[in-house]
């Protein structure tokens, strides 16, 4: 039901059988994670991006509650808490997300007592675990009357507001929109200015896309992400430009004034990344994998040199992949600062490429965290449970 290799729903069901066998599940919900194929750090400027939802994500199993409160069991953290928690300040943990949902998505019409069991398969940074967690909970809470009814895009906006105001990361809307509009047939092109979305079906042919972990994790609220946004705001203000005009600027115009100054490099990344997304969408539609791979690699270099959100581990991983015959392209995915990278390769080269990456990260191949990326469907209530 939740896709190959995914144990998240099974873990919630196992907990229910072991600890709450007499309380039968009322419903179950699923929110996928995502990788971003290309187009990073341009969504919050109204750019066009190309994420793909995964067959991995977050499962929420809904049980009848035992008292008038909402209880959430975060099984992967081996932690539980009751809500609402009046007056609890931000603490940098998963409870901030639940409090944010209740604060911005309420007041509840007539909530019934509930216990939610939550588990996911997206740890490590870059697969959008937090948007997946927030949206799976949001849909479950909405159906149970704990949140006001909202359309898909409004639910995405609610989850973004939670991230910005309750958690403290000034993120864009790419992850939330991808999770709401994703497709099991391929990627979804999102115009973050108009919020228009379009499915981009993928013909894999002899290609595979792999997610490989760099070995270092990160938290976005730590500061680097918000700092990049402030730098772009200042760069725009200094030039008298509205921030959402940047992705559409002519790169030639920028290079005329370009020194090696930080703001110019940030702008150069945004403008060039937007061009790569447009070219990448065409390459995907034509299944031109060599062209797509080159764009991925150019995107990584721009994120590394101009936007400075890569890490030595991510760079080593990407370099090792690219120096192995049969790899078309590789890049960090999502915000950067550590976490997962994506690697495009020919099926026959899989072993060779993964072995080279493991060696570059000083890991025995079995210890390498890696999985083949398969597209998965969007946020939904799971049939057959409850
Ligand atoms: C994080 C944010 C997104 C986006 C990416 C970078 O995933 O949540 O809004 O900015 O980083 O592309």
């Amino acid at each position: 039901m939740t896709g190959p290799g995914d144990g998240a729903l099974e873990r919630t069901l196992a907990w229910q059988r072991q600890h709450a066998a007499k309380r039968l599940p009322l419903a179950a919900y699923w929110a996928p994670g995502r990788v971003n194929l290309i187009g990073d750090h341009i969504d919050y400027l109204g750019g066009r991006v190309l994420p793909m939802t995964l067959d991995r994500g977050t499962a929420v199993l809904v049980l009848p509650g035992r008292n008038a409160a909402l209880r959430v069991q975060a099984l992967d953290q081996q932690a539980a808490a009751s809500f609402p928690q009046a007056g609890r300040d931000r603490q940098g943990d998963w409870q901030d997300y639940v409090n944010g949902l209740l604060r911005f998505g309420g007041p509840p019409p007539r909530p019934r007592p509930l216990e939610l069991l939550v588990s996911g398969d997206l740890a490590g940074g870059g697969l959008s675990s937090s948007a997946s967690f927030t949206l799976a909970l949001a849909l479950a809470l909405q159906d149970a009357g704990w949140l006001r009814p909202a359309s898909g895009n409004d639910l995405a906006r609610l989850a973004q507001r939670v991230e910005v105001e309750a958690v403290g990361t000034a993120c864009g809307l790419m992850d939330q929109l991808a999770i709401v509009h994703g497709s099991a047939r391929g990627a979804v092109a999102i115009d973050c200015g108009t919020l228009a979305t379009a499915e981009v079906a993928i013909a894999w042919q002899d290609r595979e896309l792999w997610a490989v972990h760099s070995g270092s994790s990160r938290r976005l609220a730590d500061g680097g992400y918000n700092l990049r946004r402030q730098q772009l705001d200042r760069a725009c203000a200094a030039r008298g430009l509205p921030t959402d005009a940047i992705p559409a600027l002519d790169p030639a115009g920028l290079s005329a004034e370009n020194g090696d100054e930080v703001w110019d490099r940030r702008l150069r990344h945004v403008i060039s990344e937007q061009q790569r997304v447009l070219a990448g969408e065409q390459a995907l539609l034509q299944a031109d994998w060599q062209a797509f791979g080159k764009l991925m690699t150019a995107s990584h270099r721009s994120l590394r040199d101009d936007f400075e959100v890569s890490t030595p581990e991510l760079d080593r991983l990407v370099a090792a992949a690219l120096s192995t015959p049969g790899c078309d392209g590789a890049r960090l995915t999502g915000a950067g600062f550590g976490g997962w990278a994506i690697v495009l390769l020919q099926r026959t080269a899989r072993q060779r490429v993964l072995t080279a990456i493991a060696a570059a990260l000083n890991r025995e191949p079995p210890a390498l965290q890696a999985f083949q990326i398969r597209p998965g469907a969007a946020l939904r209530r799971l049939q057959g449970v409850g």
Side-chain angles (χ1 to χ4, degrees), residues 34 40-41 43-44 171-172 174-175 220 225 334-335:
R34 64 103 190 89
D40 274 314
H41 289 283
D43 64 332
Y44 45 76
C171 68
M174 166 174 73
D175 304 343
L220 285 195
Y225 186 94

Side-chain angles (χ1 to χ4, degrees), residues 20 93 142 184 188 244 364 371:
D93 62 10
Q142 188 187 52
V188 54
D244 60 3
E364 294 300 315
F371 64 90

Side-chain angles (χ1 to χ4, degrees), residues 1 9 12-13 16 23-30 59-64 112 114-118 136 139-144 380-386:
M1 188 179 312
L9 179 66
T12 65
L13 287 165
Q16 180 267 334
R23 285 183 291 146
L24 295 180
L26 300 169
Y29 297 84
W30 177 256
V60 173
L61 193 68
V62 183
L63 304 182
R112 51 178 162 156
L114 284 189
E115 182 151 355
L116 305 184
L117 312 180
V118 192
L139 192 59
L141 289 170
Q142 188 187 52
D143 273 8
R380 62 197 185 275
R381 180 177 177 152
L382 294 174
Q383 303 306 316
V385 184

